[in-house]
Amino acid sequence: MSDNDFGFELEPFEDDTQHGLSGTVGAYGFVRISYAKPASWKSGDVFRTELAGEHLPPASVSGTGMGGEPHLGRKAVLTVGGVTAEIGANSLGVSRASRALRIRLGGREYTYARTGRSGGLELRRGEDRVTLTDGEPVGGAGSRRRRRGAVRGGVDATDLAVALVLEETDTSSLSVGGALMSAPFRALMNPGDGGGE
């Protein structure tokens, strides 16, 4: 365990126009990750998730999706601090590792994958990592859950911005079951994509 390691918790919020998570992330201060809920939408619409934080670079993900939430795949556009990432994905992979997203942002290379823990998602850059898992439900059974974060190693503001903005995207393609269930919807949203994300 390093001196830089710390934990944090994000609280879900939702109103008539926005859906997201917010909370204090250690010395990086208050953050808010959200997307706009459209009054109506159709297949092929492009949606955008944004991260705003006191001491983090601005970040966003845009792409086709459903209900305002962009789908996270190779056609998504991830931008952090004005730099656009390259995203590689293999929606046909069988293992968690083979399904992981490969993200290149400037000179950094990340993997973003499901973990074996409840709702677990992890962003890795070498040995440095940000992991988020499900916490307690807010508002009773069937409601959204808090997200518990753990930072390990030499994670910096850019790494955190990447991990946090991805929290409010559709990551179903990172699990085999999720990819199978969402494939028909993604085919409608992205005709001719071939499913090879």
Side-chain angles (χ1 to χ4, degrees):
M1 194 164 182
S2 135
D3 291 341
N4 298 326
D5 295 355
F6 67 93
F8 61 91
E9 190 168 78
L10 300 174
E11 194 85 15
F13 67 85
E14 186 168 5
D15 59 31
D16 291 342
T17 61
Q18 296 279 312
H19 187 281
L21 294 163
S22 64
T24 300
V25 180
Y28 295 95
F30 184 76
V31 302
R32 179 180 169 96
I33 312 119
S34 63
Y35 60 83
K37 290 165 41 180
S40 64
W41 59 276
K42 62 187 181 312
S43 171
D45 282 354
V46 174
F47 302 114
R48 180 180 173 96
T49 292
E50 295 183 339
L51 164 73
E54 290 179 278
H55 303 292
L56 293 177
S60 66
V61 177
S62 59
T64 57
M66 295 188 294
E69 184 179 44
H71 170 69
L72 186 58
R74 74 175 155 86
K75 289 189 173 186
V77 177
L78 166 64
T79 303
V80 180
V83 178
T84 300
E86 296 173 29
I87 300 175
N90 176 14
S91 64
L92 302 177
V94 176
S95 69
R96 272 196 295 267
S98 67
R99 299 185 74 73
L101 291 182
R102 308 289 186 239
I103 300 170
R104 295 181 72 177
L105 180 72
R108 298 169 185 239
E109 295 191 8
Y110 298 99
T111 58
Y112 186 64
R114 290 250 176 227
T115 68
R117 296 160 70 190
S118 174
L121 291 162
E122 184 171 78
L123 181 79
R124 278 186 173 264
R125 179 174 58 91
E127 294 302 310
D128 306 326
R129 63 189 186 274
V130 180
T131 307
L132 285 113
T133 56
D134 283 339
E136 296 300 313
V138 176
S143 63
R144 290 193 63 201
R145 293 180 170 270
R146 292 179 177 91
R147 294 290 282 167
R148 290 192 181 127
V151 174
R152 301 286 179 259
V155 169
D156 66 12
T158 299
D159 303 332
L160 264 172
V162 173
L164 292 173
V165 76
L166 296 179
E167 273 293 295
E168 286 298 322
T169 61
D170 173 8
T171 59
S172 58
S173 62
L174 297 182
S175 71
V176 174
L180 290 173
M181 289 180 66
S182 65
F185 299 108
R186 284 202 325 273
L188 286 172
M189 291 185 295
N190 298 300
D193 186 24
E197 283 199 273

